[in-house]
């Protein structure tokens, strides 16, 4: 284990170095500017389309895709709203200081353009497999958008995605839940792992339609419940909210001195952990979410892109900010705690006796839905590499890995997930940069009214 830790530590230092920060933020800024800040300006239209997309209508419901546009967003959100929002935000603050939150916000704002482009390209270049299901994502927009000479890049993405799903979307999730359930309710880690395996297996083995159906119900309910609980805590801590924002903005550009159990943090640490945990949370640039959006019942890539970008906004600007403010208004963060336990202690400081239980339950549900979403991502990557017949094998292996993750060493699991995150992102970001002219043209045509389908309302400028 020590050798593996050293190996992944060395790789992690390279893939999350300056090159990755430049790639992630650089491609996101380039897309945001190329789109003339459209993802931010048209945020309202995105929410309107999301609401309209709860049910696919007409011909698109019959032929183009397997799940409604709304459920495609919920499936992608099921994979993003997870431990990153609870444990990831806490880890960013514990290792990078309050300033890390600012860099999470920046990552999200540029990431909205990235997520928009990913979903647009996923729908534009998707295929229909031998079973009649729509499949798409970075490996397909690399294959069909960039051509055969770039096929190796799609294969690389699919390999990293298939493996990464076992980390970010499986073992990290079950491990965090098992840890929280053990600390809060005294439930043995192996028992938590077995329960999650049985429940997740019942959904995963049913494929994307069952996953989307469960995600479409669980994600909105639990997301709203967590936000409400966080707002209650912030009302209790209302006197510290101003100071929390001051800490975020000040330490985004200034080093934090050691205090209490907090070891201190340089500005570079705030940027690094803010960006890394921001990406871990909202997954903009990783290329995971477009795999779900490719299955949406839609004929218009731009409309799905507008819905997809909401995932980054909801995940980071809303949910992660709630978590961060709860932590920073409690002042527990200077005691040296990190991960889910820091978030639980922060909630419990305001709601003694049951604040930690709220976090444990939220973590369990979020992690469960993340496992569901990522099982689909990994499966499609595996299918791209080995064909449709390999799907059931991947599902079974994925489900069996859940209890193993629950009992594994947390530090190594986080390190492995962090490393494969970056390795997924590199092929995807290269493809996004090369295919950006397609993104800009389709978007311009749509908002100029040149790409409007029969019966579609011209609500672009609302």
């Amino acid at each position: 284990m020590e050798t593996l830790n050293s190996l992944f530590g060395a790789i992690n230092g390279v893939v999350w170095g300056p090159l990755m920060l430049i790639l992630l933020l650089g491609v996101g800024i380039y897309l945001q500017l190329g789109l003339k800040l459209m993802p931010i300006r048209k945020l309202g239209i995105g929410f309107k389309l999301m609401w309209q997309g709860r049910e696919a209508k007409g011909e698109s419901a019959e032929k183009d895709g397997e799940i409604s546009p709304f459920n495609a967003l919920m499936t992608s959100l099921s994979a993003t709203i997870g431990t990153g929002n609870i444990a990831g935000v806490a880890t960013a603050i514990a290792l990078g200081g309050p300033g890390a939150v600012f860099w999470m916000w920046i990552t999200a704002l540029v990431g909205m353009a990235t997520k928009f482009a990913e979903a647009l390209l996923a729908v534009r270049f998707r295929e229909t497999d031998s079973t009649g299901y729509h499949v798409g994502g970075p490996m397909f927009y690399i294959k069909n958008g960039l051509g055969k000479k770039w096929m190796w890049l799609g294969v690389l993405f699919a390999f990293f995605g298939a493996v990464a799903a076992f980390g970010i979307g499986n073992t990290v999730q079950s491990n965090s839940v098992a840890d929280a359930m053990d600390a809060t309710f005294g439930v043995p880690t192996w028992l938590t792992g077995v329960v999650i395996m049985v429940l997740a297996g019942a959904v995963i083995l049913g494929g994307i339609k069952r996953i989307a159906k469960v995600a479409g119900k669980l994600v909105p309910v639990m997301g709203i419940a967590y936000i409400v609980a966080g707002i209650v805590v912030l009302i209790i801590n209302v006197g510290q909210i101003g100071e929390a924002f001051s800490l975020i903005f000040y330490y985004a550009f200034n080093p934090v001195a050691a205090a209490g159990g907090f070891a201190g943090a340089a500005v570079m640490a705030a940027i690094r952990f803010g960006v890394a945990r921001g990406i871990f949370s909202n997954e903009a640039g990783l290329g995971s979410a477009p795999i779900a959006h490719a299955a949406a019942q839609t004929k218009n890539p731009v409309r799905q892109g507008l819905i997809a970008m909401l995932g980054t906004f909801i995940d980071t600007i809303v949910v992660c900010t709630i978590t961060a403010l709860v932590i920073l208004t409690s002042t527990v963060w200077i005691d040296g705690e990190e991960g889910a336990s820091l978030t639980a202690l922060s909630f419990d400081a305001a709601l003694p006796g049951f604040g930690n239980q709220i976090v444990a339950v939220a973590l369990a549900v979020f992690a469960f839905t993340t496992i569901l979403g990522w099982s689909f991502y990994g499966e499609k990557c595996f299918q791209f590499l080995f064909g449709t017949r390999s799907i059931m094998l991947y599902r079974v292996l994925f489900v069996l890995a859940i209890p193993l993750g629950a009992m594994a060493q947390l530090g190594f699991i986080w390190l492995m997930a962090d490393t494969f995150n970056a390795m997924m992102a590199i092929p995807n970001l290269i493809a996004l940069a090369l295919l950006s002219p397609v993104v800009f043209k389709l978007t311009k045509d749509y908002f100029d009214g040149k790409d409007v389908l029969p019966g579609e309302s011209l609500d672009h400028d609302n």
Side-chain angles (χ1 to χ4, degrees):
M1 183 58 73
E2 190 175 331
T3 306
L4 279 174
N5 265 312
S6 300
L7 175 63
F8 272 94
I11 296 171
N12 189 273
V14 174
V15 295
W16 274 120
L19 175 63
M20 178 51 65
L21 298 185
I22 292 168
L23 262 176
L24 280 167
L25 295 178
V27 171
I29 291 168
Y30 167 67
L31 290 169
Q32 191 69 270
L33 293 177
L35 292 165
K36 300 175 183 176
L37 304 183
M38 182 278 297
I40 296 172
R41 292 187 293 108
K42 304 292 186 180
L43 189 63
I45 291 176
F47 278 105
K48 181 179 178 181
L49 291 172
M50 177 193 75
W51 187 251
Q52 292 174 347
R54 287 170 296 151
E55 296 292 337
K57 299 175 183 178
E59 189 181 355
S60 66
E62 297 171 11
K63 296 182 180 179
D64 291 81
E66 287 65 54
I67 57 180
S68 70
F70 176 82
N71 274 355
L73 175 64
M74 290 304 111
T75 302
S76 69
L77 271 176
S78 76
T80 57
I81 298 184
T83 57
N85 300 81
I86 294 176
V89 174
T91 301
I93 292 172
L95 299 177
V101 179
F102 175 85
W103 295 106
M104 289 183 79
W105 290 340
I106 296 299
T107 303
L109 289 175
V110 300
M112 285 174 65
T114 310
K115 191 73 71 81
F116 169 82
E118 288 176 328
L120 181 153
L121 292 171
V123 174
R124 171 65 181 81
F125 293 109
R126 65 185 177 181
E127 295 180 0
T128 304
D129 67 17
S130 59
T131 63
Y133 278 68
H134 287 76
V135 289
M139 55 281 198
F140 287 98
Y141 53 72
I142 288 170
K143 173 189 170 186
N144 299 325
L146 294 178
K148 289 185 178 179
K149 66 179 180 179
W150 291 93
M151 186 72 166
W152 61 273
L153 199 65
V155 171
L156 272 183
F157 174 86
F159 172 74
F160 293 142
V163 176
F166 282 94
I168 182 177
N170 187 323
T171 49
V172 163
Q173 307 299 328
S174 60
N175 192 292
S176 295
V177 177
D179 185 50
M181 297 303 280
D182 182 34
T184 307
F185 303 109
V187 180
T189 53
W190 69 266
L191 180 57
T192 300
V194 170
V195 170
I196 297 173
M197 178 184 71
V198 172
L199 293 175
V203 181
I204 290 169
L205 297 178
I208 182 58
K209 289 186 179 179
R210 193 180 298 174
I211 291 170
K213 189 175 180 180
V214 173
K217 291 179 171 59
L218 267 182
V219 172
V221 171
M222 196 61 233
I224 291 169
Y226 181 76
I227 290 169
V228 169
I231 290 171
V232 170
V233 171
L234 294 180
I235 290 171
I236 294 170
N237 297 342
V238 67
Q240 285 76 48
I241 292 177
E243 176 64 17
F245 275 109
S246 296
L247 292 173
I248 291 169
F249 286 107
Y250 181 79
Y251 289 120
F253 306 99
N254 296 279
V256 195
F262 183 73
V267 175
M268 192 58 202
I271 298 172
R272 182 194 167 190
F273 289 107
V275 172
R277 295 305 171 199
I279 293 300
F280 185 88
S281 175
N282 63 51
E283 298 177 14
L286 290 193
S288 50
I291 298 174
H293 288 287
Q297 293 164 327
T298 182
K299 288 187 176 182
N300 197 302
V302 177
R303 288 173 71 90
Q304 198 60 35
L306 287 164
I307 294 172
M309 71 186 190
L310 300 179
T312 301
F313 181 85
I314 293 168
D315 179 274
T316 306
I317 303 297
V318 179
V319 183
C320 285
T321 299
I322 292 284
T323 302
L325 290 176
V326 167
I327 291 170
L328 294 175
T329 56
S330 73
T331 70
V332 178
W333 67 275
I334 63 172
D335 295 338
E337 289 287 342
E338 62 178 87
S341 59
L342 171 54
T343 306
L345 286 169
S346 300
F347 268 86
D348 211 55
L351 303 169
F354 61 94
N356 61 335
Q357 294 176 12
I358 291 172
V359 173
V361 172
L363 188 64
V365 177
F366 286 160
F368 177 72
T369 58
T370 298
I371 289 170
L372 300 185
W374 265 94
S375 71
F376 180 67
Y377 296 164
E379 170 192 310
K380 293 298 114 182
C381 289
F382 201 71
Q383 179 185 352
F384 182 82
L385 295 172
F386 301 107
T388 306
R389 291 183 180 180
S390 67
I391 290 175
M392 191 53 69
L393 170 64
Y394 189 88
R395 289 178 186 174
V396 171
L397 291 174
F398 193 88
V399 170
L400 291 176
I402 293 170
L404 298 178
M407 296 179 283
Q409 181 187 341
L410 181 64
F412 174 69
I413 294 295
W414 271 107
L415 180 63
M416 183 180 72
D418 214 25
T419 303
F420 278 109
N421 262 4
M423 294 175 80
M424 277 180 72
I426 293 169
N428 181 51
L429 291 168
I430 292 171
L432 288 176
L434 292 174
L435 289 170
S436 59
V438 178
V439 175
F440 300 151
K441 183 182 187 305
L442 287 177
T443 305
K444 185 177 185 301
D445 287 349
Y446 179 76
F447 285 102
D448 285 347
K450 296 176 184 176
D451 188 25
V452 181
L453 300 171
E456 183 179 20
S457 61
L458 279 167
D459 58 1
H460 310 120
D461 298 318
N462 291 353

